């Protein structure tokens, strides 16, 4: 389904802009349901089993949002006063309303990185000395796969192994924010289970590239998920007939996973076209997945002004800072839409 079917513009604002397709809506309408809180929703149970197997974990839990997956994982892994290692541009530290501080009582420590990707040496340097009485206890390392504000960069297995080895040497726990894990899997050809093997907690988002209206699935050991259930209830994420939502997730795993390769090809094409517009530079020369960041300082216009002008010409593209635009491809954007969007951006920048 193309974005132009029901929208007056090509929507590159985010991969959260997808609407459930007719097939997904039918699967939702036909779902068998029960009370999730009592473990009696067969569709949610099935989704949890499938995602646990996919991510190579003992158990999994359906949650209404990716933020809740992150926040519950941090709350289970960290005690109040603990510190976890992350980056200044991670979703955990940037966008979740200081949830780690507010809910778990944990603080993030940002390490140096390149496109949100860091190495074992950075982890080693950031770990607090347990002998010190006045520093926090380092408890966990969190990575984001793919790295949103890093231009959709994919952590390679060598990079994951390096960080995981150092984390384990310091007895730290490992968490993966898998909002775009399916994109990383499709782009790299590495299985999700292999990518997640070293992590105590991981999740995948259903409402981004996979095109569901809502949901994420958090996975880990049986003990981790048992503890996560306490938090699910505590913060109001325990649902009732969630099978209606889980059915969308099952449909997405079967129908919307492999097609992510199209989104990556579309992003590469958009990057090539947008990068040729005078005054626009690609912020990440390699477009690995579905995110394209553009530096528009050379145009003499602000990102906001370009974004507003582009919308009038038929493309919605997000302004992420004074001179930065972000374009995201997804299943409601076709290859033809990409050509339309690039032309609209060109016109917006030329001020015609
Ligand atoms: C990397 C990353 N993590 C977590 C989230 C949170 O997901 P949700 O919007 O479903 O809460 C997002 C959302 O954009 C994200 O990009």
């Amino acid at each position: 389904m193309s974005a132009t079917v029901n929208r007056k513009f090509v929507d590159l604002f985010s991969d959260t802009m997808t609407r459930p397709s007719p097939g997904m809506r039918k699967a939702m309408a036909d779902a068998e349901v029960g009370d999730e809180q009592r473990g009696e929703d067969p569709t949610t149970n099935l989704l949890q089993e499938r995602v646990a197997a996919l991510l190579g974990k003992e158990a999994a839990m359906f949650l209404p949002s990716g933020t809740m997956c992150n926040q519950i994982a941090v709350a289970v892994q960290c005690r109040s006063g603990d510190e976890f290692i992350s980056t200044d541009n991670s979703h955990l530290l940037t966008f979740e309303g200081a949830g780690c501080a507010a809910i778990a009582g944990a603080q993030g420590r940002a390490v140096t990185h390149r496109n949100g990707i860091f190495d074992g040496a950075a982890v080693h340097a950031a770990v607090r000395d347990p002998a010190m009485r006045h520093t926090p206890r380092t408890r966990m390392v969190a990575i984001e796969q793919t790295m949103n504000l890093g231009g959709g960069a994919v952590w390679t297995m060598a990079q994951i192994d390096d960080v995981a080895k150092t984390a384990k040497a310091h007895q730290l726990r490992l968490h993966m924010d898998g909002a775009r894990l399916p994109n990383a899997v499709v782009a790299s050809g590495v299985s999700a289970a292999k990518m997640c093997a070293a992590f105590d907690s991981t999740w995948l988002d259903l409402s981004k590239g996979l095109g569901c209206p809502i949901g994420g699935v958090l996975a880990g050991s049986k003990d981790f998920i048992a503890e996560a259930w306490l938090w699910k209830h505590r913060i109001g994420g325990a649902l009732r007939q969630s099978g209606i939502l889980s059915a969308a997730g099952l449909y997405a795993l079967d129908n919307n996973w492999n097609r992510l390769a199209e989104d990556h090809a579309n992003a590469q094409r958009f990057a090539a076209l947008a990068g040729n517009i005078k005054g626009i530079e690609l912020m990440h020369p390699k477009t690995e997945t579905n995110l394209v960041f553009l530096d528009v300082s050379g145009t003499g216009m602000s990102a906001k002004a370009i974004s507003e002008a582009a919308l009038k010409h038929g493309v919605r593209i997000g302004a992420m800072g004074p001179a930065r635009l972000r374009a995201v491809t997804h299943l409601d954007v076709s290859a033809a839409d990409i050509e339309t969007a690039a032309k609209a951006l060109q016109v917006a920048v030329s001020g015609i």
Side-chain angles (χ1 to χ4, degrees):
M1 195 197 297
S2 156
T4 48
V5 173
N6 297 321
R7 285 190 178 115
K8 294 192 175 64
F9 52 84
V10 178
D11 203 341
L12 297 179
F13 187 79
S14 174
D15 46 9
T16 57
M17 293 300 149
T18 55
R19 278 87 42 101
S21 63
M24 183 177 279
R25 285 169 191 258
K26 175 156 180 12
M28 294 172 79
D30 293 348
E32 251 190 86
V33 295
D35 189 338
E36 178 208 271
Q37 292 189 12
R38 298 182 56 81
E40 289 173 4
D41 189 300
T43 311
T44 295
N45 290 345
L46 182 59
L47 176 68
Q48 292 172 164
E49 280 159 30
R50 274 198 60 187
V51 174
L54 184 66
L55 305 189
K57 299 296 172 202
E58 286 175 357
M61 190 173 75
F62 178 76
L63 286 166
S65 73
T67 299
M68 209 181 271
C69 290
N70 268 341
Q71 290 304 323
I72 289 182
V74 174
V76 174
Q77 313 255 38
C78 299
R79 297 282 78 83
S80 178
D82 283 350
E83 191 167 73
F84 66 91
I85 290 169
S86 180
T87 56
D88 59 353
N89 61 352
S90 67
H91 201 275
L92 269 177
L93 295 193
T94 314
F95 291 126
E96 301 187 12
C100 301
I103 299 169
Q107 74 179 13
R109 183 166 203 201
V111 294
T112 48
H113 61 88
R114 192 177 162 76
N115 297 334
I117 291 175
F118 48 92
D119 58 15
V123 172
H124 180 73
V127 176
R128 308 285 189 172
D129 179 353
M132 296 295 279
R133 291 182 174 170
H134 56 182
T135 53
R137 179 176 56 170
T138 313
R139 177 65 112 164
M140 188 182 87
V141 178
I143 76 156
E144 201 173 294
Q145 180 72 306
T146 66
M147 188 60 211
N148 181 348
L149 295 187
V154 177
W155 283 75
T156 64
M157 277 314 297
Q159 289 163 334
I160 288 176
D161 289 345
D162 180 34
V163 162
K165 199 169 142 216
T166 312
K168 299 282 176 206
H170 288 283
Q171 276 110 42
L172 303 180
R173 311 225 173 138
L174 276 160
H175 171 67
M176 179 194 282
D177 171 339
R180 295 182 181 81
L181 172 63
N183 297 83
V185 169
V186 168
S188 66
V190 176
S191 76
K194 189 171 178 198
M195 245 176 219
C196 297
F199 293 83
D200 301 290
S201 53
T202 181
W203 58 274
L204 61 77
D205 207 311
L206 300 169
S207 70
K208 301 205 168 63
L210 293 180
C212 299
I214 181 171
V217 187
L218 177 65
S221 67
K222 278 192 183 138
D223 286 350
F224 168 82
I225 292 296
E227 186 74 8
W229 263 101
L230 183 67
W231 281 98
K232 183 168 154 81
H233 277 277
R234 187 173 279 157
I235 62 176
L239 307 174
R240 298 297 183 186
Q241 287 71 32
S242 59
I244 287 184
L245 306 169
S246 301
L250 288 166
Y251 179 91
L253 294 181
D254 290 334
N255 296 283
N256 294 346
W257 187 286
N258 291 331
R259 62 149 309 285
L260 290 170
E262 289 170 38
D263 298 343
H264 301 167
N266 284 340
Q268 279 167 17
R269 174 71 180 152
F270 185 73
L273 294 169
N276 269 336
I277 297 174
K278 196 160 170 281
I280 294 186
E281 297 280 344
L282 295 179
M283 295 185 70
H284 307 277
K286 202 165 154 215
T287 302
E288 294 184 57
T289 53
N290 67 328
L291 307 177
V292 181
F293 284 79
L294 306 172
D295 179 343
V296 297
S297 11
T299 61
M301 292 170 77
S302 69
K304 185 165 176 281
I306 296 177
S307 168
E308 284 167 4
L311 186 57
K312 287 190 195 129
H313 292 290
V315 57
R316 183 155 75 151
I317 178 164
M320 309 266 292
R324 183 169 64 161
L325 291 175
R326 186 187 73 164
V328 189
T329 57
H330 51 78
L331 68 84
D332 282 354
V333 174
S334 67
D337 289 336
I338 289 296
E339 307 297 319
T340 310
K343 279 190 199 122
L345 183 61
Q346 166 81 71
V347 174
V349 169
S350 351
I352 299 168

